[in-house]
Amino acid sequence: MTQVDNSLANPPPQPSPFSQARLVELWCAEPIFFASRELSDTYYTEGVIGNYALAYALGWARSPYRLQGKETGKPRYIEDLTPLNGQRYILPAWPLDNRPSFRFERFNALSDSYWYAMTNNRVATAREDLPLNRTGKKPNTYRPSNFPQTGRLRMLERGNRFQTLVFGEVALPEYIRVGKFMSKVRLEMSEPLPVQRLPRGTYSCNTYLNSADLPTAIDLLRFDVMSIPPAPLLKYLQFRGPAWQVGDWICPANLAFCGGHVNATA
């Protein structure tokens, strides 16, 4: 991490809401899959583990088991994560040595019955399930599900190692489960390190950052973007503004889930 420039005319730094942070190493005990990108029938996992996924995996927030009405399909990051702001925070996990390894797997959810056919984005296993224009019968009550039945998955290989910073005094479990398949990940934690707030200046950081969590009082000079849901991640960021330093790591100050957005339910 390199400090590029620092102006002497800057006001004194404000205290950080976090007095300490820990560097955490994650070891993938099983292949991990996230649908970071979809290209034809192939579903790609990028070489990163998002901080929102980690926050849920650590048990910091729980979404309701069942959603109804307008809540169905609506993201709940603001409701679930913003109450944590000022108490704890975690960065997206980046791969050690920037060289994650991947594996490809083919999945096939087609039926093994004697007869089946592809209909409106689903697999019909009975001839009477065919649409009206093919059978001449009344339309059935089945609705298209739009779930893929065949394809390939690019997954993070078992044995990959990632790093992240956890801010705040919080106990962490030894193992968590992440990804679409709830894959097992082991956590190895370092000793707590002090969080030092640096005055406004120009800094380069080599941690990964969630673009939705950045404060508004910084200038983004240059960066690389990883365009993945739910919010793009930034790496190799150079910025101008106040910063936090944890050991050898520097990142923008005042990082908060959803940019510190006020919880609408509060």
Side-chain angles (χ1 to χ4, degrees):
M1 204 66 56
T2 303
Q3 179 177 343
V4 179
D5 186 19
N6 189 17
S7 172
L8 297 177
N10 290 331
Q14 299 297 317
S16 168
F18 306 111
S19 60
Q20 68 177 40
R22 283 194 289 185
L23 184 66
V24 178
E25 183 173 314
L26 298 90
W27 177 73
C28 303
E30 297 174 326
I32 297 177
F33 171 68
F34 291 99
S36 304
R37 288 185 294 134
E38 299 181 4
L39 185 62
S40 185
D41 66 343
T42 305
Y43 304 83
Y44 289 86
T45 303
E46 290 291 355
V48 64
I49 303 178
N51 60 333
Y52 289 6
L54 290 173
Y56 283 98
L58 289 168
W60 293 359
R62 294 293 182 191
S63 289
Y65 183 76
R66 178 173 298 173
L67 299 174
Q68 296 180 339
K70 295 181 179 179
E71 296 295 324
T72 303
K74 175 185 173 184
R76 289 183 50 87
Y77 302 121
I78 293 178
E79 293 87 344
D80 294 342
L81 300 179
T82 54
L84 304 172
N85 288 335
Q87 305 172 25
R88 60 189 68 177
Y89 183 74
I90 186 170
L91 291 174
W94 61 91
L96 286 176
D97 301 327
N98 290 321
R99 291 182 296 181
S101 58
F102 300 94
R103 62 184 289 176
F104 278 87
E105 292 187 1
R106 175 168 286 280
F107 69 93
N108 183 346
L110 296 176
S111 172
D112 58 357
S113 64
Y114 177 76
W115 180 92
Y116 68 85
M118 297 294 296
T119 62
N120 293 335
N121 295 323
R122 69 180 185 86
V123 179
T125 57
R127 295 182 186 277
E128 55 268 28
D129 287 346
L130 290 178
L132 175 65
N133 59 353
R134 295 180 61 184
T135 64
K137 298 180 181 179
K138 293 182 179 180
N140 58 62
T141 58
Y142 291 102
R143 299 178 59 187
S145 61
N146 201 29
F147 291 133
Q149 279 81 34
T150 63
R152 295 192 303 163
L153 306 177
R154 189 180 81 162
M155 311 172 71
L156 288 168
E157 179 64 288
R158 178 182 182 273
N160 273 299
R161 291 182 178 272
F162 293 82
Q163 279 186 329
T164 185
L165 286 173
V166 178
F167 294 85
E169 300 180 12
V170 55
L172 299 176
E174 186 176 0
Y175 288 92
I176 58 175
R177 290 190 176 275
V178 300
K180 296 288 187 182
F181 303 144
M182 301 293 286
S183 304
K184 195 172 186 178
V185 174
R186 187 179 69 201
L187 276 60
E188 299 177 3
M189 290 149 279
S190 67
E191 293 297 320
L193 300 169
V195 178
Q196 180 183 1
R197 184 174 175 108
L198 304 178
R200 182 176 178 82
T202 302
Y203 303 94
S204 296
C205 83
N206 57 2
T207 67
Y208 284 20
L209 302 164
N210 188 323
S211 61
D213 296 349
L214 294 175
T216 57
I218 65 170
D219 301 322
L220 305 182
L221 304 180
R222 62 186 181 190
F223 51 83
D224 286 352
V225 178
M226 301 178 70
S227 184
I228 62 176
L233 302 184
L234 308 183
K235 59 181 180 179
Y236 310 128
L237 171 67
Q238 187 178 74
F239 66 97
R240 183 179 297 112
W244 289 339
Q245 181 172 5
V246 180
D248 295 332
W249 307 98
I250 293 180
C251 59
N254 301 323
L255 293 171
F257 290 113
C258 304
H261 192 285
V262 177
N263 187 356
T265 62

